[in-house]
Amino acid sequence: MPALLSKIFSEVNLGTLFKIPVKLNWSFFLLIILSLITSGPSDAFTVTLTLFSVLGHELSHSLVAKKLGIEVKEITLYYFGGIASINLKDNSSSHDELSVAMAGPIFSILLGLLLLSVKLTPFVFPAIVPMLGLINLVIGFGNLMPIFPLDGGRILRSLLKMKWGYIQATKASLIVARVLGFILLANAIIFVHQLIIIAAIINILTFAESIRFKSETLLPEEKRKINYPSNPESSVIPSPQEVGHENK
């Protein structure tokens, strides 16, 4: 059983982009299989194309970080989204964290608007093109929710950090994240059942971030600055059904 679990949660190396290793977690194939079972080949194909949108989102974070001289370890794509492992230390400037955090949503929103704009042209495009536009808008605006560790939570922390410093800003951001995460999960359970899995994952990520932060604050400041682990910039993949629900 442990060997089976390790295979399920292992990763496939897809290669490198701009000298950044890109990996695909095996759990992504579970999403493909689930889409095939519940909705058929068309949705499974849409989910597969969405993978490239998520990769672009995470690559945007990573390229801005590299431009600022910040180490980027890798990009990993999961069934719930992607994570760019970026070594933002607690003594990194607020401007740097803000720039890195905003890069992903800006890319997704601009790509979404571009793909949706094909409806305004006299040319005929496959229906999947505007669908991908909607998905990218959901990825972009969804990640702007001020729920740590989503991009919006990191944007909030970077703004608070300008006045309060790293520790107080992170504490405040985590409080906001826990409250909004609970509200999101409650609404998903009561009203929008399609969002339950994503809401649960967001709450789990927030809980994990809280534990990581608490363990770090026990270290002396000089060690935190040196040994600060990679901060994942997260984006969540919405399913095509969720996009359809949002736009009814």
Side-chain angles (χ1 to χ4, degrees):
M1 183 62 71
L4 176 61
L5 290 175
S6 65
K7 288 183 179 180
I8 291 176
F9 292 102
S10 62
E11 293 150 2
V12 180
N13 290 315
L14 299 181
T16 59
L17 283 174
F18 301 96
K19 299 182 179 180
I20 303 170
V22 179
K23 298 180 180 181
L24 178 65
N25 187 273
W26 282 106
S27 60
F28 178 78
F29 296 105
L30 297 178
L31 182 62
I32 299 295
I33 295 172
L34 183 62
S35 298
L36 283 171
I37 294 174
T38 58
S39 306
S42 60
D43 275 0
F45 181 63
T46 301
V47 169
T48 303
L49 290 180
T50 302
L51 181 72
F52 293 97
S53 297
V54 175
L55 177 58
H57 181 105
E58 300 303 330
L59 194 59
S60 299
H61 288 307
S62 302
L63 292 178
V64 170
K66 286 175 69 72
K67 182 72 174 178
L68 295 171
I70 301 170
E71 178 189 6
V72 180
K73 182 181 177 183
E74 63 188 16
I75 294 173
T76 307
L77 304 173
Y78 296 86
Y79 75 96
F80 59 82
I83 293 179
S85 296
I86 298 173
N87 195 25
L88 271 169
K89 295 181 170 60
D90 63 0
N91 61 340
S92 298
S93 73
S94 300
H95 179 269
D96 286 355
E97 182 172 16
L98 181 62
S99 299
V100 172
M102 290 184 63
I106 289 174
F107 169 84
S108 296
I109 291 170
L110 290 179
L111 179 60
L113 293 175
L114 177 63
L115 294 176
L116 280 176
S117 68
V118 301
K119 288 188 172 182
L120 303 177
T121 69
F123 305 103
V124 178
F125 289 88
I128 197 172
V129 174
M131 170 63 76
L132 286 174
L134 290 175
I135 290 174
N136 275 276
L137 288 181
V138 171
I139 292 174
F141 286 111
N143 272 278
L144 286 176
M145 291 188 296
I147 301 177
F148 211 73
L150 297 183
D151 299 331
R154 298 190 181 282
I155 292 171
L156 174 62
R157 182 176 71 174
S158 66
L159 295 174
L160 295 177
K161 184 178 171 183
M162 295 177 184
K163 183 176 180 62
W164 293 348
Y166 170 78
I167 292 179
Q168 292 302 320
T170 304
K171 286 181 179 179
S173 299
L174 286 171
I175 292 172
V176 172
R178 284 193 289 266
V179 173
L180 293 182
F182 175 79
I183 294 174
L184 179 64
L185 183 58
N187 276 275
I189 293 173
I190 298 172
F191 301 112
V192 191
H193 297 156
Q194 297 94 326
L195 295 176
I196 289 177
I197 294 178
I198 287 180
I201 290 172
I202 289 174
N203 277 272
I204 291 171
L205 290 173
T206 300
F207 179 72
E209 192 69 23
S210 298
I211 293 176
R212 183 194 64 77
F213 172 70
K214 289 178 181 178
S215 66
E216 282 182 2
T217 53
L218 296 176
L219 295 172
E221 183 178 358
E222 62 274 10
K223 290 188 177 181
R224 290 204 309 269
K225 291 180 179 179
I226 296 173
N227 298 323
Y228 194 93
S230 298
N231 269 337
E233 295 285 349
S234 306
S235 63
V236 177
I237 301 179
S239 69
Q241 296 93 328
E242 288 158 9
V243 173
H245 182 93
E246 290 290 328
N247 290 277
K248 285 180 181 179

